[in-house]
Amino acid sequence: MARRAAAIATDVGKAIDTAAVDIVTRKGGRTNFATASDHAAEEEILRRLRELDGSVPILAEESARDELRRADRLWVVDPIDGTLNFAHGVPFYCVAIGYVEKGRVRAAAIHAPRLRETFIASEGAGATLNRLPLSVSTVSKARDAFAVTNLSRGAAGRPDSRFTQLNRACARLRVTGSAALEIAYVAAGRFDLFVHEQLSPWDIAASGLIAREAGAAVVSLATGDDAAWDEPRVMVGNAALVQDVVTSMDLIRAT
């Protein structure tokens, strides 16, 4: 499943029309939209997944049906994660495909076409980037962490926001605009810590498995427990760093 997901993500990623950036649908907010390329990529991914096995439902960003989350078997697809980046010619975007079975992600692939990087993982078999093994960083203290997060509107101006707390506590903080790719970068040790409050299932499904298979803890910001495959609020990093963040910062909050 991981190899199949990787082949599809890579082929579709390479074929994405970088000029087809006209906005086709808006999903709320000035920067939440889908381009013609998002829709074309999703249609091709769905076609190829259905050729593999038409009995497996597909939860895809541009045609999502929420009830599919409860299916025993499920593909979870983001045709272009980081659409705003893509539409402006910024290379930090990717195609993400995850395979879920009985509530657990079993296989995953993320392909960043402009960067020519393919992340692959299958449950219990580790994670790779361009066929080389991945491992999270060994940074264990928040004060030393190179962290990446999302910046919701107004968060920078609120002293109690997670963004403000991370910016104050960590060595450096970045916002790159593609959650799936950011989590994959934690898996690769490029970032030490990822924190996000507004994930969709297609942001976290594939990337979460890649991070776990590279040695990361994926923790719910609502409970502090291991996050479900479709958890919208997560923290990702090596276990020691996550524990240090939990004990030193007020990031875990019940919702």
Side-chain angles (χ1 to χ4, degrees), residues 1-6 49 52-53 55-59 71-78 96-110 121-123 201-202 204-210 229:
M1 288 299 197
R3 287 193 298 270
R4 291 170 175 174
L49 289 176
L52 289 177
D53 187 343
S55 69
V56 181
I58 306 168
L59 180 68
D72 284 343
R73 301 170 67 207
L74 179 68
W75 289 105
V76 185
V77 171
D78 196 335
I97 303 175
Y99 174 71
V100 180
E101 191 173 85
K102 298 187 184 303
R104 295 178 63 87
V105 184
R106 306 290 187 177
I110 290 175
S122 55
E123 189 177 41
W202 38 86
I204 185 65
S207 60
L209 178 66
I210 291 168
W229 72 268

Side-chain angles (χ1 to χ4, degrees), residues 165-179:
Q165 288 181 276
L166 285 166
N167 195 41
R168 185 167 53 239
C170 295
R172 290 291 185 271
L173 187 62
R174 293 290 184 269
V175 178
T176 68
S178 170

Side-chain angles (χ1 to χ4, degrees), residues 6-238:
I8 294 172
T10 302
D11 289 348
V12 172
K14 289 177 179 177
I16 289 174
D17 184 354
T18 57
V21 296
D22 292 339
I23 296 174
V24 175
T25 54
R26 291 190 178 273
K27 296 174 281 187
R30 291 177 297 175
T31 60
N32 190 7
F33 57 83
T35 67
S37 287
D38 287 88
H39 287 277
E42 180 168 302
E43 289 172 8
E44 179 61 14
I45 293 169
L46 266 59
R47 184 189 70 79
R48 291 189 55 168
L49 289 176
R50 286 167 180 153
E51 282 184 350
L52 289 177
D53 187 343
S55 69
V56 181
I58 306 168
L59 180 68
E61 180 177 14
E62 308 309 334
S63 56
R65 290 165 46 207
D66 195 60
E67 68 272 14
L68 292 179
R69 295 195 201 192
R70 297 184 291 274
D72 284 343
R73 301 170 67 207
L74 179 68
W75 289 105
V76 185
V77 171
D78 196 335
I80 300 179
D81 182 60
T83 295
L84 185 61
N85 286 348
F86 167 76
H88 286 81
V90 177
F92 295 105
Y93 64 89
C94 63
V95 180
I97 303 175
Y99 174 71
V100 180
E101 191 173 85
K102 298 187 184 303
R104 295 178 63 87
V105 184
R106 306 290 187 177
I110 290 175
H111 178 66
R114 292 283 294 277
L115 305 172
R116 299 181 181 178
E117 293 186 328
T118 305
F119 301 82
I120 305 174
S122 55
E123 189 177 41
T128 61
L129 166 57
N130 292 352
R131 300 185 179 181
L132 298 176
L134 289 179
S135 181
V136 294
S137 81
T138 58
V139 170
S140 60
K141 298 295 182 182
R143 64 176 180 267
D144 300 322
F146 186 24
V148 61
T149 186
N150 69 312
L151 181 58
S152 57
R153 192 171 184 180
R158 296 197 308 272
D160 63 338
S161 73
R162 290 188 176 104
F163 178 89
T164 302
Q165 288 181 276
L166 285 166
N167 195 41
R168 185 167 53 239
C170 295
R172 290 291 185 271
L173 187 62
R174 293 290 184 269
V175 178
T176 68
S178 170
L181 200 53
E182 290 166 352
I183 296 171
Y185 279 11
V186 172
R190 295 172 177 175
F191 289 123
D192 303 309
L193 182 71
F194 169 92
V195 178
H196 204 298
E197 300 175 306
Q198 299 173 324
L199 295 172
S200 297
W202 38 86
D203 297 322
I204 185 65
S207 60
L209 178 66
I210 291 168
R212 284 188 170 100
E213 289 298 320
V218 182
V219 172
S220 167
L221 289 172
T223 66
D225 298 328
D226 187 51
W229 72 268
D230 56 350
E231 169 65 52
R233 295 169 294 278
V234 304
M235 175 166 49
V236 182
N238 72 66

